[in-house]
Each structure stands twice: as C-alpha cells, then as structure tokens.
C-alpha cells in the first residue's frame, strides 16, 4: 500500500526531472461523418504455411455435397454418390422405366432411341409435349390414354394396367381380389363384395336368445301412442285406500302411460337405436351406380320397417328428370351421380346423397326419415356430398354444381 509520504516524494522527483516524464500527445477529435466498422464476433485464423506437408480437404467442401451429407451407397464422407466407385454394383438392382429390366436406369437404357422424348412431358390425351395429362385443357378421350404407350406389349392407346397381356392387372407385386379373384379391380370396388357381406356367418351364443319386437311411435298418432290403466287395477287400488284418500285420488288426474319396452331382452335397446332395416337390393343397386355407372340416380323410400328401392334412373336421364321424380308431399332418400367439368376443363363426377323432406309432408314421416338417415347413409359406402332439402329451390342445379366444385 502506497503511503502519503511516497506519493509526495514521487511528485517532487517529477518536478525536478521533467525530461524523464514527457507529456502525451493529444488525441485528434472524432469525425462525425465517419462510420464505425462492426466488429466480427468470430476471430479470423491466420494462415499457417507448413512447408513439406499438404493439407487434406475437408469432407464438407466436396463439390455437390451439402453440410452433414455423404455418399448414401458406401456411407463415406469423402465423396458423393455420383462419384462413388461402388455405384455400378448398386445400380444392378435398379429397374429401367423404359424396358422394365434390372441392371440399369433410364439414362443408360440400350433401347432408348430419342433422348429428347424422355425429357419432355407428353400428354396421353392430346399428344402435346408442353403439358402432362393432369393439366390437359381438352376433355378426356378414351379414358385419357389415346397417346399412351404400354411397356408390356409396346402398343399405344392404353397403359400397362389395362393391357390384355398383363397377368397382374392392378397388382404389380402379385395378388388378386380377395372376394372374386380378379386382377382388374381392388377389393373395395368388387361387385361381388355385397354377396360376401350378406352371406350367413357363424352365429354366436347371443343369437339364440329370443328377439323382442319394438313398435315405434311418433307425433302424428298421439292418441294411439298411450293407453289408460285397466279398470281392474283401479279397483284394487281403491279398495286398499281409505275414504279420504279416495277423494284425493279422484281430484288428481291420472297420467297417461306409454308402451312399455322389455329392457331384459338383449336386442330390444339395440333395435331401438339402429333404426330402419336396409334391404339388400339398395346396397346392390348403389354399388352398380358407383362401380359400373349403370344408373344416373336411385330413389329410396321406407316401406314398413325397411328401406327399399323405389325408382332407378337410366344414364340418359338428366337432373330435371330426377327432380321431377321426387314426390311433392312425401319424404324420400335419393342418390344422384353428377358429372361436371372443372375450371381446368377436366371431367369429373361426384355422388350426392339427398334427403328430401318437403314442408307439406306429414310430421310422422319427417321424424321417421330424419331418425333413419344416418343409419341408412352408413350402408352406402362412397357418398361424397350430402344435401338436405325441404324445397325444390334448395336442391336446384346451380346449388348442386356449386357443392361439387
């Protein structure tokens, strides 16, 4: 620690010998127009020149390689897959898109004649090379495969999926439809799928129990929905009660009771929640409309306790014929196959499910059709758009077209 005596001694020595302590030069004023340089957060390494030893290149600086990548063939970090020496062995398992043989790619195919034909996009519908089939402005002709070439029979007009010489069909790895054994369609589009679903299956031990019958009632027949207590039971109650109690019971009106459901039966509540039964013909005709396009529309109605087919529309009929087929005072279910053209000039189709419930129909009929709609719709696999209408203006052609687009 410096004492006061030492500081005074230094001060006297500076005054006695000023030449040993020169004054520092004043700093120049700062220039306000001069911009400050931003200091880098990273320190630059000075280049070190080592004589007699050559530095190896960093693997991340290989041309064409991104940081953290390498050769996916031999897993090396010093080169990319394009320059890999084992690339020829690896390409033996590749399949050529031209001749469909293993051992080479499309670039090195010996059957390739014109290189420019593979680089340009070819439209299978119109034959132009400026666009593909998905962006073709013209309507589809012959399924859109008029200029397509099949690599199996080397013919034009179809693709390999529809080639008659193709034994695998839509199953390139082998296999067939599990229902009918065909290779021309998938299992979900099989026309015999309904027969398999309706075939008798193994009954369980719960099926042996007696099934209870359930009678459904609604608001139109309120007088028939309730019944009064028998007179015999009233007499038994009155005999057990005293005279003052009888006066009280007569002054209080009795409540009406509805039909009783036996809850001990296992299928009573299940039938009450499931709704109407669906006839097998409804599923079969809808499957033909979806897969084969045999009908333009189908109209269903509820007959008794099940849904049945009322009318089938031929493919030549239009939307006006369909709307005129719906009754004005009764509810109906309907399925309509609507064909339309998109903004890209491509032809498409969508299946509409229409629940027709006019205001002039009876209340009971409206309630029955509304409660069974979801149950019936689940049986029709393939509905794309659902529409509920109470007036012809709610299901006009413009509304159908706007819902489809």
């Amino acid at each position: 620690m410096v004492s006061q005596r030492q500081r005074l001694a230094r001060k006297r020595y500076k005054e006695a010998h000023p030449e040993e302590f020169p004054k520092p030069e004043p700093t120049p004023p700062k220039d306000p127009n001069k911009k400050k340089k931003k200091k880098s957060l990273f320190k630059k390494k000075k280049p070190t020149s080592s004589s007699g030893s050559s530095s190896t290149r960093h693997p991340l600086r290989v041309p064409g390689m991104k940081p953290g990548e390498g050769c996916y063939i031999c897993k090396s970090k010093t080169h990319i897959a394009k320059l890999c020496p084992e690339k020829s062995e690896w390409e033996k398992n590749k399949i050529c898109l031209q001749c469909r043989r293993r051992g080479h790619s499309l670039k090195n195919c010996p059957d390739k004649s014109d290189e420019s034909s593979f680089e340009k996009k070819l439209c299978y519908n119109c034959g132009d090379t400026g666009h593909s089939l998905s962006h073709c402005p013209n309507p589809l002709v012959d399924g859109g495969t008029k200029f397509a070439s099949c690599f199996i029979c080397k013919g034009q007009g179809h693709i390999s999926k529809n080639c008659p010489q193709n034994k695998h069909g839509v199953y390139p790895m082998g296999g067939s439809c599990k229902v009918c054994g065909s290779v021309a369609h998938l299992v979900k589009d099989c026309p015999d799928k309904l027969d398999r679903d309706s075939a008798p299956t193994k009954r369980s031990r719960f099926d042996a129990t007696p099934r209870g019958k359930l009678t459904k009632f609604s608001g139109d027949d309120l007088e028939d929905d309730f019944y009064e207590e028998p007179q015999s039971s009233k007499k038994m109650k009155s005999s057990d009660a005293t005279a003052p109690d009888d006066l009280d019971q007569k002054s209080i009106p009795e409540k009406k009771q509805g039909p009783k459901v036996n809850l001990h039966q296992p299928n009573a509540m299940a039938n009450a929640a499931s709704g109407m039964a669906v006839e097998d013909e409804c599923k079969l005709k809808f499957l033909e409309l979806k897969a084969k396009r045999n009908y333009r529309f189908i109209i269903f109605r509820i007959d008794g306790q099940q849904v049945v087919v009322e009318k089938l529309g031929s493919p030549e009929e239009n939307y006006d014929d369909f709307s005129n087929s719906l009754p004005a005072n009764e509810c109906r279910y309907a399925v309509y196959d609507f064909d339309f053209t998109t903004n890209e000039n491509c032809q498409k189709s969508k299946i509409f499910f229409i629940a027709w419930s006019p205001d002039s129909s009876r209340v009971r009929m409206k309630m029955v059709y509304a409660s069974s709609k979801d149950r019936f719709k689940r049986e029709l696999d393939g509905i794309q758009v659902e529409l509920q209408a109470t007036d012809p203006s709610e299901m006009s052609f413009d509304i159908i077209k706007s819902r489809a687009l």
Side-chain angles (χ1 to χ4, degrees), residues 300 326-334 353-371 373 387-392 394-395:
F300 307 93
L326 296 174
N329 299 327
E330 295 182 1
C331 301
R332 289 292 185 270
Y333 298 133
F353 177 81
I354 301 175
W356 171 246
S357 179
D359 295 332
S360 57
S361 60
R362 293 183 300 168
V363 179
R364 179 180 181 180
M365 182 177 291
K366 292 180 182 179
M367 295 177 62
V368 172
Y369 273 81
S371 60
K373 183 187 69 173
L387 185 65
Q388 187 168 358
T390 59
D391 188 77
E394 297 180 0
M395 50 174 291

Side-chain angles (χ1 to χ4, degrees), residues 65 73 78 101 106 112 121 148 151 167 189 254-255 272 281 300 302 328 366 371-372 381 394:
M65 184 187 300
I73 299 177
T78 58
R101 292 195 295 267
L106 176 63
K112 185 175 67 171
K121 293 182 179 180
F151 67 87
K167 299 180 180 180
D189 301 327
E254 295 183 359
K255 296 182 179 180
E281 185 184 4
F300 307 93
I302 296 178
K366 292 180 182 179
S371 60
S372 305
D381 187 14
E394 297 180 0

